[in-house]
Structures are given as structure tokens and as C-alpha cells.
């Protein structure tokens, strides 16, 4: 089958969106034309079809991760992408031009808000036509974080797991909606919090007990059926360990996916005191096996990407602002217009 694009048809320059300095928010994004990167050893060059924005992307721009990121300016942000292989670097044997893929780009280099990007084969996975570019691009950070958080509390996806009770906060966000679905695939009992307008959606994806986070019941986080939680996938901010502790089972864990300094100190204290109940900060460890697992679930219809909104690359600043505003239900997708 002829590929949609080949190395001989790749133009010399591409459209991209970048920022030249930290700060500035959506107004700090600039549309530019820059040279198309080339694939080096164990890399593939992708013609991008879709990318998704995660909160970490604008937090890097804001300066929250300095001096680690951004490594250099100007910087083309976003790491979660899907597209088509158009060229391969030396040593690449598993991909050829025309392969449809999902990839997580190197966080140091970014590159997702562009027409082309280079990805390492270590974090690139083939997708079949059943997995659209937009659906696949939602996976790497959000679904990967949900998967690793659930595994941290003992969830298993091979049918051997124990029947655990889990609480998922901010369950209608990018990570939360994947976490609800994955928890049900692991046969967990899911209690979830979200806004009132999204309660039916969260129930439809597997939430057993769903609470409006603004109600007294939602604020307390207590299971309506009185269950103690074996684990919490904590996807929001502003809730302290003292709130979670009495809600946990004897060996329960609260997995904090956006840990602050206080959470890290609390976690360290739990380790040195051998606490049975623990707060566990989670930093995503991207790996190909997890991404292949998640793409397979999408292909088989066992997992879905809930898309909040879609924007063309020319409206990337609107997508950026939508993520900053923090009210999205699911993923914010930027799609690359063909030209």
C-alpha cells in the first residue's frame, strides 16, 4: 500500500506554534515556519495528524518546571501526538513510511504543535485504522498516568486482581476519565467525584458511586455506601492528606498525580515511619509496553478517549487557553490541517 506521505514529498519547512519566553499564556504562543527536523538513530519522522494538550504543557511555559524545562527557547510545546511515519532514521527496523502511529515525544525537545515531529521508536506504537489520530493522541500522558496510578494501588488487568475499592477525584478530567474506565477493566469498585454536569458521563464509563464535588457529600469524599478506599487516584489539587487518611483502608494508598512540596514531604515521612496508610506522589514513567497496552484497549473498544474539543493548528492558542481554564471534560485536541 502506498504511504500517505513519503520522504520525497516532505517539504523543507513546516508550520509550528512555539513560545520564545516563559510566561505569557496563550498570548505568548507564536505561529512560525521552521525547518522540518530529521530523524536520527532510532528515531522516526512523523507527519502529525493530531496532538493533545496536557496541563504540564502550559505549566512548563509558565515556568513551573524551571530550570529543568524548557531546556531551550524558542520551544515548540506538547508531547502527545499521533500521525504517519514519513521517514526513519538509522537502525530503525520496526517502522516504515506509511505506518500510522501514536507517540510520546521527548519532553526535553517537545515538538507536538507542528506539522512534523521526530519521535523515538522507544515511545512510538503502531495503531490500526480503528484507532483515530485524535483518540490515540489522548493516551500517552493522561491514560499512562491513570494506568500507573491504578497499578500503584494494586490493580491488575489480567483477571488476577483483588476486588479493591478506589476513589477517583476530578473524574471528568483528562486523567480521571481514563482512570474510571481502567479501574472497571480491573474489576474495581469505583467511587468518583466530578462536576454535576458530568455525573452521567462518569457513571456511563463505569463509576459505581458518583458525587458532585461541590455538595457536602462530595466535599467529604466519603463513599455513599460506607466503603473504605484501598486506593485514591487523586487528580485534582487542594485536598490534604488529613482528608484522605480516615477514608482509607488499613493499607490504603492515596496516589497524588500532581504532588506539591508538602505532599512529597508527607510521603517521605510515611516511608521512614513505615506507615501502612501512605500518600504516594506519582511521576509518570513513560514506556512502550504501557502505550501498546493502551492502544490495544482502544482498538478493541475496551477504552475510549473522551474528547472535549477540537481545534485546528491555526487556533492552537484557543486550545491552550481552554486547557489553562481547567474546565475541559476529557481531552483537548489540536488537529493539523493538510495543505
Amino acid at each position: 500500500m502506498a504511504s500517505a506521505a513519503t520522504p520525497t514529498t516532505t517539504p523543507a519547512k513546516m508550520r509550528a506554534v512555539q513560545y520564545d519566553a516563559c510566561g505569557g499564556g496563550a498570548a505568548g504562543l507564536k505561529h512560525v515556519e521552521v525547518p522540518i527536523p530529521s530523524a536520527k538513530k532510532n528515531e522516526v519522522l512523523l507527519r502529525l495528524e493530531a496532538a493533545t494538550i496536557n496541563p504540564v504543557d502550559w505549566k512548563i511555559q509558565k515556568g513551573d518546571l524551571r530550570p529543568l524545562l524548557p531546556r531551550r527557547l524558542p520551544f515548540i510545546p506538547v508531547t502527545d501526538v499521533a500521525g504517519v511515519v514519513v521517514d526513519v532514521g538509522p537502525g530503525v527496523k520496526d517502522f516504515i513510511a506509511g505506518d500510522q502511529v501514536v507517540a510520546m515525544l521527548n519532553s526535553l525537545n517537545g515538538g507536538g504543535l507542528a506539522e512534523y515531529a521526530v519521535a523515538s521508536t522507544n515511545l512510538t506504537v503502531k495503531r490500526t485504522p480503528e484507532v483515530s489520530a485524535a483518540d490515540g493522541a489522548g493516551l500517552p500522558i493522561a491514560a499512562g498516568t491513570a494506568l500507573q496510578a491504578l497499578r500503584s494501588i494494586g490493580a491488575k488487568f489480567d483477571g488476577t486482581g483483588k476486588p479493591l475499592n478506589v476513589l477517583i477525584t476530578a473524574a471528568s478530567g483528562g486523567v480521571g476519565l481514563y482512570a474510571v474506565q481502567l479501574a472497571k477493566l480491573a474489576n474495581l469498585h469505583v467511587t468518583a467525584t466530578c462536576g454535576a454536569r458530568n455525573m452521567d458521563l462518569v457513571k456511563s464509563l463505569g463509576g459505581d458511586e458518583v458525587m458532585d464535588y461541590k455538595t457536602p457529600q462530595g466535599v467529604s469524599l466519603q463513599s455513599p455506601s460506607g466503603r473504605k478506599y484501598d486506593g485514591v487516584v487523586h487528580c485534582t489539587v487542594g485536598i490534604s492528606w488529613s482528608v484522605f487518611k480516615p477514608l482509607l483502608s488499613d493499607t490504603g494508598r492515596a496516589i497524588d498525580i500532581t504532588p506539591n512540596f508538602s505532599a512529597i514531604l508527607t510521603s517521605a515521612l510515611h516511608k521512614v515511619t513505615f506507615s501502612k496508610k501512605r500518600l504516594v506522589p506519582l511521576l509518570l514513567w513513560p514506556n512502550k509496553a504501557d502505550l501498546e497496552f493502551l492502544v490495544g484497549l482502544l482498538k478493541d473498544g475496551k477504552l475510549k478517549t473522551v474528547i472535549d474539543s477540537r481545534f485546528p493548528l491555526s487556533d492552537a492558542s484557543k486550545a491552550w487557553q481552554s486547557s489553562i481554564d481547567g474546565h475541559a471534560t476529557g481531552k483537548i485536541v489540536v488537529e493539523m490541517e493538510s495543505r
Side-chain angles (χ1 to χ4, degrees):
M1 181 187 297
S3 63
T6 64
T8 57
T9 61
T10 303
K13 289 195 171 184
M14 66 178 183
R15 292 179 296 186
V17 175
Q18 67 183 29
Y19 51 85
D20 299 330
C22 286
L29 299 181
K30 297 181 179 180
H31 291 264
V32 296
E33 282 216 350
V34 295
I36 290 176
S38 56
K40 299 181 176 63
K41 185 177 181 181
N42 297 323
E43 292 181 338
V44 289
L45 175 64
L46 307 179
R47 174 174 57 79
L48 299 184
E49 297 174 314
T52 57
I53 297 172
N54 292 285
V56 69
D57 295 318
W58 51 262
K59 289 178 182 178
I60 292 171
Q61 183 206 26
K62 187 179 175 184
D64 288 359
L65 275 68
R66 296 177 80 176
L68 296 176
L69 294 171
R71 187 170 66 173
R72 60 177 177 268
L73 294 166
F75 186 73
I76 300 172
V78 177
T79 60
D80 290 9
V81 301
V84 178
V85 175
V86 294
D87 196 12
V88 301
V92 175
K93 298 178 181 178
D94 296 335
F95 296 95
I96 60 171
D99 283 343
Q100 295 179 309
V101 297
V102 174
M104 182 174 175
L105 307 180
N106 186 318
S107 298
L108 295 176
N109 299 325
L113 289 187
E115 293 179 305
Y116 292 82
V118 166
S120 166
T121 56
N122 287 337
L123 286 173
T124 302
V125 171
K126 292 179 185 178
R127 60 184 169 92
T128 58
E130 295 97 330
V131 179
S132 73
D135 288 345
L139 293 176
I141 287 180
T145 297
L147 179 64
Q148 292 183 16
L150 288 165
R151 283 182 175 151
S152 295
I153 65 173
K156 295 187 177 180
F157 298 88
D158 59 1
T160 65
K162 298 177 182 178
L164 304 173
N165 299 315
V166 63
L167 168 67
I168 300 169
T169 62
S172 59
V175 175
L177 286 170
Y178 284 125
V180 170
Q181 297 176 75
L182 290 167
K184 290 314 294 181
L185 287 174
N187 294 315
L188 307 189
H189 181 278
V190 178
T191 303
T193 64
C194 63
R197 67 187 176 96
N198 291 318
M199 289 176 68
D200 287 342
L201 171 63
V202 173
K203 288 176 183 176
S204 74
L205 294 176
D208 297 295
E209 300 176 317
V210 182
M211 302 180 287
D212 177 355
Y213 76 96
K214 290 185 177 180
T215 63
Q217 185 183 48
V219 170
S220 76
L221 299 179
Q222 293 180 5
S223 163
S225 59
R227 287 172 164 82
K228 292 286 188 179
Y229 304 122
D230 299 297
V232 177
V233 181
H234 183 34
C235 302
T236 185
V237 295
I239 302 175
S240 69
W241 166 248
S242 61
V243 175
F244 291 125
K245 185 176 180 180
L247 305 176
L248 293 173
S249 64
D250 289 344
T251 57
R253 294 185 170 199
I255 311 300
D256 191 344
I257 70 167
T258 56
N260 56 22
F261 186 63
S262 174
I264 292 170
L265 286 180
T266 300
S267 173
L269 180 63
H270 290 170
K271 281 187 177 180
V272 299
T273 58
F274 302 101
S275 298
K276 289 186 176 181
K277 296 184 181 184
R278 291 193 178 188
L279 180 66
V280 181
L282 178 76
L283 295 177
L284 175 68
W285 177 61
N287 65 91
K288 189 165 186 169
D290 282 358
L291 192 52
E292 285 179 333
F293 176 68
L294 293 165
V295 170
L297 291 178
L298 268 187
K299 172 183 174 292
D300 295 338
K302 295 178 180 179
L303 184 68
K304 67 180 290 187
T305 295
V306 177
I307 295 175
D308 175 86
S309 48
R310 300 169 185 256
F311 298 86
L313 183 63
S314 56
D315 280 342
S317 59
K318 292 181 181 178
W320 199 257
Q321 187 60 50
S322 179
S323 183
I324 291 172
D325 290 343
H327 303 303
T329 300
K331 300 299 295 179
I332 298 168
V333 179
V334 175
E335 296 179 307
M336 317 311 167
E337 316 97 307
S338 58
R339 58 170 178 169

